[in-house]
Amino acid sequence: MRNLQHKLSVARGEQPAELLFKNARVVNVLSGEVHPANVAVDDGRVVGFGDYDAKRVVDLGGRFLAPSFIEGHFHVESTMLTIPELCRAVVPHGTGAMVIDPHEYANVLGLDGIRYVLESSRGLPIDFFIMLPSCVPATSLESAGARLTADDLRLMIRDERVAGIAELMNYPGVYLGWESELAKIEAGKGKAIDGHAPGLRGKNLNAYVLAGVRSDHESTELDEAREKLRLGMHVLLREGSTERNLEHLAPLVTPANASNCSFATDDKLASDLVREGHLDHSVRKAIQHGVPPITALQMATINPARHYRLRNFGAIAPRFWADFVVFEDLENIQVQQTWKRGELIAQDGKFLGALPPVVPLPRSTMNLRYTPAQLDVPAIGAGAIKVIDLVVNQIVTRKALLPPKIVKGCVVADPSRDILKLVVVERHRATGNVGVGFVRGFKLRKGALASTVAHDAHNVVVVGVSDEDILTAIAALVKMQGGIVAVADGQVQAALALPIAGLVSDQPLDRVMQDVSALDAAAHALGCDLPAPFMSLSFVSLSPIPELKLTDQGLIDAVKMEVTPLFT
Amino acid sequence: MRNLQHKLSVARGEQPAELLFKNARVVNVLSGEVHPANVAVDDGRVVGFGDYDAKRVVDLGGRFLAPSFIEGHFHVESTMLTIPELCRAVVPHGTGAMVIDPHEYANVLGLDGIRYVLESSRGLPIDFFIMLPSCVPATSLESAGARLTADDLRLMIRDERVAGIAELMNYPGVYLGWESELAKIEAGKGKAIDGHAPGLRGKNLNAYVLAGVRSDHESTELDEAREKLRLGMHVLLREGSTERNLEHLAPLVTPANASNCSFATDDKLASDLVREGHLDHSVRKAIQHGVPPITALQMATINPARHYRLRNFGAIAPRFWADFVVFEDLENIQVQQTWKRGELIAQDGKFLGALPPVVPLPRSTMNLRYTPAQLDVPAIGAGAIKVIDLVVNQIVTRKALLPPKIVKGCVVADPSRDILKLVVVERHRATGNVGVGFVRGFKLRKGALASTVAHDAHNVVVVGVSDEDILTAIAALVKMQGGIVAVADGQVQAALALPIAGLVSDQPLDRVMQDVSALDAAAHALGCDLPAPFMSLSFVSLSPIPELKLTDQGLIDAVKMEVTPLFT
């Protein structure tokens, strides 16, 4: 970077700028208007509006020039892509900066996982800012790879790319004033403190905010979002692969309160990002549902930049990074070009930038210890068993009480009634923990599906008809050092290796999308009719979410928050 | 202050709140709306909205409850009041926090002056935040009491009540990239950096902003203010005693850009504050000129709080200080009550709080060395003399070339042509510097007017008909340890002692207002017809302002920025 004196002389017009965008219609998110301007850029930054000489001129011919988009809350692991490959997916959609919460990396690898994310997200075509995961592990009823306390968070909070403390999901712990949770908020003092309080209202919400939580992205009801906004929370309107709250919440936003609103994607599959879009999709949808275009663009740019204190991001004005998008229609924004620090990095949907090689993860995260006999379920009880009953497209489950099928003194799967065996094997520290239960909803007629993506502890989770296929699936995952697999008749039908923490592929975007499609096809060929079989599988171990779950510690009554026996 | 755990239990409704405001119409500057609510307060803070039990209930009966007002840029010295007495003047008008720039204290006392302001503004019914003066002295052509460099500013910038670097008035120095000025901006990194760039436009304004300046309060033209807003400056709409830009700039503000706009008063006389109002006047005037009431109230509350990073100020929501105003009519806001941290401190125009005793200034600031002979002006030239020609209600002056009246070989005053003698005596370090010149516009028929308030160096400035009265006036100022005086016939006609730095009275508000009135009356009785004789006198030494000025160093050509001889 050349120095400020040089840029000042360019701004004064004494030397030519590197680059001039001529005949732009600038979306000025600061003055809240569109105005014509020529925008001079030097050394990666905007230096001024005006009639400047430049070494290179880009004539926009009246097209719109807006700041590139900023993500407010995202889990990169949900794409199963390395962070560079994520750039390939979203840069053509105009994404310029992302605030990410490496919650899954942290559950598997603790501080090492956060350091890996910091390292592998450096120097890319998107600027990444990291929120420190605040709830690792999710509960004591699942065995994650790490435990993070306020002391751990304090070790990393001063990093200039750390923007604050990530979603405080233990919201009762916060509003009840648990010292462990208040200490995490205190650790983030002076930076952003993100919340996560689905459905929380009234006095307990008052206390949650009073404790220092400054944002929320979990509102599903308009009244809920309005209450949070009134209490001073920055409200992130979420639009992900499955959680889609934007249409419902759009009426909340007015020009008079929009500075307290931004967009979040939270979790979105790579294929959805590529096909549907990222924040460009949120902007389009907000405009379709009545948010004025300038307001929607403020929510995608300057508002998250200010909330997360991302210096010199989110606007087109002197000192700001020359991170732009170019488009033709303000009412239906389709990004034609994405610019980063004055370089064209995507054009007409094509990523043009260079990406660094994959940063290898320093260690294996597959440390299993189990024996086939641990899969046996002795029929020691009488009467019904508690079966996890899936709810399509939701992460909550129900509890079904059903008569077991018993063979040779053991409870076994009964595909004729869609009762399949579910197994969770601890994979972080070779504890030998194995949980076994039963689940209804996958409808496999044979074979097994398995994954090392299993929120939040990310142990090995397998659903299957026979113990043989379940064991084959586990062995395949071990061999791949983590991943997702469909097996049948003792053979792998489809697989995606996720050698990075058992969460992320080391392969390029296209390959990952192909493999995910093949996995879904294989699951469907085995009889499963869920829209996203492996996503459903990844949530059956998430112990804090009602009603019945299975972790490596056993069957979990997620209402009473305790281990519960299989038999009633 | 009791601890967070207690407040959390109050918020959860487990213990009664100290105070509940029932049946309020809350002006919610965060959600940009008015909504009914009961507001619970404990330990000086808002803990929540809702149906709370409380030890004390204030039924507002549907009246409006808004956050108290926040001043964006103010020089306390312009009131000639101690900071506690300033509170007495403005708290009844709803002021709850002020960002102040102790520019005059700093010119007289340097860092000691800033420390005095920090000390004497502590624990008052208004929260004061200090910007560190960035241009002391104004130029090298006047001898101030101190010189502040970036190193000096760095010594104080970390104080939690220091909000940043005050107006960078040397705007050419900034846009030209002088290292001395860039170093001051660098010293304030992470805090607010205030600008001052009257009339600056185009490429030089681009460079001024690029250098890191983040606000401006000097716009007088709408286009100028719009350009600054587009470039990312926080625009403060100024409404003081003489600089009144609000009506002209009000059309700039829309709900889509108002988060980048606030109010500033800059300089306002005590009597104007008492009679006309403070920020309440700005809010009323903005509304009268078309700004929506909620938007105007955001500009007076949350916007300056965010711009200057005043934590927990500027809104009514959990964690925010319980600093409120109560009023009945949203379109014509007349403050009925002012609350500070849950205490009623003003009601129906009456200040109810307690004020601490005056903090004495540790040292005298009147160190003069002069002889009567220094007032003689030998008629050494031929032809005309350069006379400072006042422009009513402006701080610029013109240069008049007029034939001198010569008596016994010396140029003397000629009241028949309104040509009076002007004298500036250095008062900080007993340098013996005395400047003598002539001025037209005061119209004194006899006597002299003198002051130690004389921007920016605040030396002794005297205008008079005879050397005898000029010397009498200087002697009176020395005796009072600084102040303002009108003399005639060898007698003091009216006086206001300003023993605190020669700038500020140690007397109560009412007494200061009376003395100022008496001084104006005395000046008018001597023939002066200026609306504010002593304010005009206080600007004739301000060397950076064109066209002709007089400092202790002599007659100043303020266009060429050099000392100039009296005779043409």
Side-chain angles (χ1 to χ4, degrees):
Chain A
M1 289 223 299
R2 294 208 302 288
N3 66 28
L4 179 57
Q5 288 294 358
H6 177 82
K7 286 197 287 291
L8 289 175
S9 76
V10 173
R12 292 192 302 267
E14 295 164 4
Q15 300 192 56
E18 286 170 10
L19 183 59
L20 184 71
F21 290 84
K22 275 187 80 164
N23 300 315
R25 278 197 278 176
V26 169
V27 178
N28 195 316
V29 295
L30 301 162
S31 59
E33 59 179 341
V34 171
H35 61 78
N38 299 331
V39 180
V41 169
D42 200 274
D43 195 22
R45 294 186 193 247
V46 177
V47 298
F49 300 144
D51 176 26
Y52 281 94
D53 285 332
K55 294 172 193 159
R56 185 175 160 216
V57 172
V58 175
D59 193 330
L60 292 179
R63 285 191 288 174
F64 292 93
L65 188 71
S68 60
F69 306 139
I70 301 177
E71 168 67 68
H73 174 71
F74 192 73
H75 301 287
V76 290
E77 304 92 328
S78 61
T79 65
M80 294 186 285
L81 298 171
T82 60
I83 296 177
E85 289 300 318
L86 171 62
C87 295
R88 193 191 299 280
V90 299
V91 163
H93 291 286
T95 307
M98 295 179 72
V99 177
I100 62 174
D101 169 8
H103 178 68
E104 322 308 340
Y105 276 107
N107 265 283
V108 174
L109 288 157
L111 290 181
D112 282 348
I114 303 172
R115 286 195 196 98
Y116 175 79
V117 169
L118 270 168
E119 196 50 46
S120 63
S121 64
R122 201 183 289 282
L124 295 178
I126 290 174
D127 284 272
F128 287 90
F129 296 90
I130 282 97
M131 302 293 283
L132 301 180
S134 66
C135 296
V136 176
T139 73
S140 60
L141 295 170
E142 50 189 271
S143 304
R147 170 177 300 276
L148 295 183
T149 66
D151 288 338
D152 295 308
L153 304 184
R154 251 191 297 274
L155 287 176
M156 302 195 71
I157 192 75
R158 288 299 136 214
D159 189 293
E160 62 177 9
R161 285 173 56 226
V162 169
I165 305 294
E167 47 183 343
L168 285 141
M169 290 184 281
N170 182 1
Y171 53 88
V174 173
Y175 70 66
L176 292 171
W178 292 7
E179 292 298 341
S180 60
E181 304 312 298
L182 298 184
K184 290 170 186 168
I185 293 172
E186 183 66 25
K189 201 171 173 183
K191 297 203 171 190
I193 308 288
D194 273 353
H196 164 116
L200 189 64
R201 309 286 299 267
K203 290 176 180 171
N204 286 342
L205 179 59
N206 287 337
Y208 187 63
V209 174
L210 181 64
V213 178
R214 298 290 186 91
S215 78
D216 188 77
H217 57 267
E218 291 288 337
S219 291
T220 51
E221 297 300 322
L222 187 58
D223 275 357
E224 176 191 357
R226 182 166 287 126
E227 182 174 353
K228 288 171 176 173
L229 192 63
R230 285 177 174 177
L231 293 179
M233 297 185 115
H234 194 86
V235 172
L236 296 143
L237 284 71
R238 179 170 55 184
E239 185 76 1
S241 270
T242 51
E243 271 77 35
R244 292 176 175 267
N245 312 123
L246 184 48
E247 177 177 349
H248 204 63
L249 300 183
L252 174 73
V253 181
T254 68
N257 66 29
S259 65
N260 303 313
C261 301
S262 297
F263 295 115
T265 307
D266 207 353
D267 289 290
K268 196 162 185 174
L269 298 171
S271 54
D272 290 340
L273 289 169
V274 169
R275 285 165 209 155
E276 181 182 65
H278 185 202
L279 297 155
D280 58 330
H281 169 71
S282 295
V283 170
R284 282 190 296 269
K285 195 159 181 176
I287 294 170
Q288 281 163 18
H289 290 93
V291 177
I294 304 271
T295 303
L297 286 165
Q298 288 172 323
M299 291 169 66
T301 58
I302 190 69
N303 300 358
R306 285 187 173 164
H307 181 72
Y308 291 103
R309 306 187 191 192
L310 314 183
R311 213 176 146 86
N312 304 325
F313 285 88
I316 300 178
R319 85 173 164 84
F320 285 86
W321 294 116
D323 294 357
F324 306 145
V325 293
V326 174
F327 53 86
E328 254 169 25
D329 182 353
L330 191 61
E331 298 288 333
N332 176 23
I333 293 168
Q334 304 288 345
V335 173
Q336 296 173 328
Q337 295 181 339
T338 309
W339 292 78
K340 187 73 187 177
R341 299 194 183 180
E343 302 288 335
L344 181 66
I345 57 169
Q347 169 110 27
D348 300 326
K350 264 203 136 55
F351 178 69
L352 305 175
L355 292 175
V358 172
V359 177
L361 192 71
R363 68 171 174 86
S364 163
T365 61
M366 292 295 282
N367 303 303
L368 283 68
R369 182 161 62 86
Y370 66 100
T371 60
Q374 286 179 286
L375 271 53
D376 292 342
V377 181
I380 49 171
I385 58 169
K386 298 169 193 153
V387 174
I388 297 168
D389 213 11
L390 296 188
V391 181
V392 177
N393 284 338
Q394 294 207 36
I395 64 175
V396 296
T397 57
R398 304 275 171 246
K399 175 171 64 179
L401 301 179
L402 300 171
K405 177 177 178 185
I406 295 172
V407 174
K408 294 185 190 167
C410 286
V411 185
V412 297
D414 181 0
S416 70
R417 290 186 292 152
D418 184 26
I419 300 175
L420 303 180
K421 187 178 271 189
L422 187 66
V423 177
V424 174
V425 184
E426 192 275 332
R427 68 152 165 128
H428 303 293
R429 295 160 198 218
T431 55
N433 284 359
V434 176
V436 184
F438 292 88
V439 63
R440 186 165 69 172
F442 282 99
K443 296 190 186 158
L444 295 182
R445 267 184 267 283
K446 63 177 188 172
L449 310 177
S451 180
T452 51
V453 177
H455 298 278
D456 275 346
H458 300 294
N459 288 311
V460 170
V461 60
V462 199
V463 59
V465 174
S466 71
D467 285 4
E468 292 68 32
D469 281 334
I470 289 173
L471 290 166
T472 302
I474 296 172
L477 292 185
V478 171
K479 193 172 170 197
M480 294 191 293
Q481 286 293 295
I484 306 178
V485 71
V487 304
D489 306 323
Q491 299 294 321
V492 170
Q493 307 294 309
L496 169 62
L498 300 173
I500 301 172
L503 299 169
V504 165
S505 168
D506 56 0
Q507 296 300 307
L509 169 63
D510 285 348
R511 172 71 190 278
V512 173
M513 290 198 295
Q514 281 166 22
D515 288 355
V516 170
S517 291
L519 277 161
D520 285 347
H524 292 146
L526 296 175
C528 181
D529 64 357
L530 292 170
F534 293 94
M535 191 173 289
S536 295
L537 184 62
S538 75
F539 283 111
V540 294
S541 319
L542 185 55
S543 59
I545 304 295
E547 182 174 16
L548 188 66
K549 300 279 172 167
L550 181 77
T551 77
D552 65 307
Q553 297 177 27
L555 202 59
I556 305 296
D557 180 329
V559 177
K560 294 186 186 157
M561 289 308 284
E562 61 187 25
V563 177
T564 189
L566 178 66
F567 282 87
T568 52
Chain B
M1 290 223 298
R2 293 209 301 287
N3 65 29
L4 179 57
Q5 288 294 358
H6 177 82
K7 286 198 288 289
L8 288 176
S9 76
V10 173
R12 293 192 301 266
E14 294 164 4
Q15 300 192 55
E18 286 171 9
L19 183 59
L20 184 72
F21 291 84
K22 274 188 80 163
N23 301 314
R25 279 197 278 178
V26 169
V27 179
N28 195 316
V29 295
L30 301 163
S31 59
E33 59 179 342
V34 172
H35 61 80
N38 298 332
V39 180
V41 169
D42 200 272
D43 194 23
R45 293 187 194 246
V46 176
V47 297
F49 301 144
D51 177 27
Y52 282 94
D53 286 333
K55 294 172 194 161
R56 186 174 160 218
V57 173
V58 175
D59 193 331
L60 291 179
R63 284 191 290 174
F64 292 93
L65 188 72
S68 60
F69 306 139
I70 301 176
E71 168 67 69
H73 174 71
F74 192 73
H75 301 287
V76 290
E77 303 92 328
S78 61
T79 66
M80 295 186 285
L81 298 171
T82 59
I83 295 176
E85 289 299 319
L86 172 62
C87 295
R88 193 192 299 281
V90 299
V91 163
H93 292 286
T95 307
M98 296 179 73
V99 177
I100 62 173
D101 169 9
H103 178 69
E104 323 308 340
Y105 276 107
N107 264 283
V108 175
L109 288 156
L111 290 180
D112 281 349
I114 303 172
R115 288 196 193 96
Y116 175 79
V117 169
L118 270 168
E119 195 51 45
S120 63
S121 64
R122 202 183 289 282
L124 295 177
I126 291 174
D127 284 273
F128 287 89
F129 297 90
I130 282 95
M131 301 294 282
L132 300 181
S134 66
C135 297
V136 176
T139 73
S140 59
L141 295 170
E142 49 189 90
S143 304
R147 170 177 300 275
L148 295 182
T149 66
D151 287 338
D152 295 308
L153 304 185
R154 252 190 297 275
L155 287 175
M156 302 195 72
I157 192 76
R158 290 296 137 214
D159 190 293
E160 63 177 8
R161 285 174 56 225
V162 168
I165 305 294
E167 48 182 343
L168 283 142
M169 291 185 280
N170 183 1
Y171 52 90
V174 172
Y175 69 65
L176 292 172
W178 292 7
E179 293 298 341
S180 60
E181 304 312 296
L182 298 185
K184 291 170 186 169
I185 292 171
E186 183 65 25
K189 201 172 175 182
K191 298 203 170 188
I193 308 289
D194 273 354
H196 165 116
L200 190 63
R201 308 287 298 266
K203 290 177 180 172
N204 287 340
L205 179 60
N206 287 338
Y208 187 63
V209 174
L210 181 64
V213 177
R214 300 289 187 91
S215 78
D216 187 78
H217 57 267
E218 290 288 337
S219 291
T220 51
E221 297 301 323
L222 187 57
D223 275 357
E224 177 191 357
R226 182 166 287 127
E227 183 175 351
K228 289 172 175 172
L229 192 63
R230 286 176 174 178
L231 293 179
M233 297 185 113
H234 194 86
V235 172
L236 296 143
L237 283 70
R238 179 170 55 185
E239 186 76 0
S241 271
T242 51
E243 270 77 34
R244 291 176 175 267
N245 312 122
L246 184 48
E247 176 176 349
H248 204 63
L249 301 183
L252 175 72
V253 181
T254 68
N257 66 29
S259 66
N260 302 313
C261 301
S262 296
F263 296 116
T265 307
D266 207 353
D267 289 291
K268 196 162 185 175
L269 298 171
S271 55
D272 289 341
L273 288 169
V274 168
R275 287 165 208 154
E276 182 183 66
H278 185 203
L279 297 155
D280 57 330
H281 168 72
S282 295
V283 170
R284 282 191 297 270
K285 196 158 181 177
I287 294 169
Q288 281 163 19
H289 290 92
V291 177
I294 304 270
T295 303
L297 286 165
Q298 287 173 323
M299 292 169 64
T301 58
I302 190 69
N303 300 359
R306 286 187 173 165
H307 181 73
Y308 291 102
R309 307 185 191 194
L310 314 181
R311 214 176 143 87
N312 304 324
F313 285 88
I316 301 179
R319 85 175 165 84
F320 284 87
W321 293 115
D323 294 359
F324 305 144
V325 294
V326 174
F327 53 86
E328 253 169 26
D329 182 352
L330 191 60
E331 298 288 334
N332 177 22
I333 293 169
Q334 303 288 345
V335 173
Q336 297 173 328
Q337 294 181 340
T338 308
W339 293 78
K340 187 74 185 173
R341 299 194 182 181
E343 301 289 332
L344 182 66
I345 57 169
Q347 168 110 29
D348 300 326
K350 264 206 137 57
F351 177 71
L352 305 175
L355 292 174
V358 173
V359 177
L361 191 70
R363 67 172 175 87
S364 163
T365 62
M366 292 294 283
N367 303 302
L368 283 69
R369 182 161 63 84
Y370 66 99
T371 61
Q374 286 179 287
L375 271 52
D376 293 343
V377 182
I380 51 168
I385 57 170
K386 297 168 194 156
V387 175
I388 298 168
D389 213 11
L390 296 188
V391 181
V392 178
N393 282 339
Q394 295 208 37
I395 64 174
V396 296
T397 58
R398 305 274 171 248
K399 174 170 69 177
L401 300 179
L402 300 171
K405 178 178 179 184
I406 296 172
V407 173
K408 295 182 187 168
C410 285
V411 185
V412 297
D414 181 0
S416 71
R417 290 186 293 151
D418 185 25
I419 299 174
L420 303 180
K421 187 178 271 191
L422 187 67
V423 177
V424 175
V425 184
E426 193 276 332
R427 70 154 165 123
H428 302 293
R429 294 158 198 223
T431 55
N433 284 359
V434 176
V436 185
F438 294 87
V439 64
R440 186 166 69 174
F442 282 99
K443 297 188 184 158
L444 295 182
R445 269 183 267 282
K446 63 175 187 173
L449 310 178
S451 179
T452 52
V453 177
H455 300 277
D456 275 345
H458 300 294
N459 287 309
V460 170
V461 61
V462 200
V463 60
V465 174
S466 72
D467 285 3
E468 292 68 32
D469 280 336
I470 288 172
L471 290 165
T472 302
I474 295 172
L477 293 185
V478 171
K479 192 172 172 197
M480 293 192 294
Q481 285 296 295
I484 304 176
V485 71
V487 304
D489 306 323
Q491 299 293 321
V492 170
Q493 308 294 310
L496 169 62
L498 300 173
I500 301 173
L503 300 169
V504 165
S505 169
D506 57 359
Q507 297 299 307
L509 170 64
D510 285 348
R511 171 73 189 277
V512 173
M513 290 198 296
Q514 281 166 23
D515 287 355
V516 170
S517 290
L519 277 162
D520 285 346
H524 292 147
L526 296 175
C528 181
D529 63 358
L530 292 169
F534 293 95
M535 190 172 290
S536 295
L537 185 62
S538 75
F539 284 111
V540 294
S541 315
L542 184 55
S543 60
I545 304 295
E547 181 173 19
L548 189 67
K549 300 279 172 165
L550 182 76
T551 77
D552 66 307
Q553 297 176 30
L555 202 60
I556 305 295
D557 180 327
V559 177
K560 294 185 184 160
M561 290 308 286
E562 61 186 25
V563 176
T564 189
L566 179 66
F567 281 87
T568 52

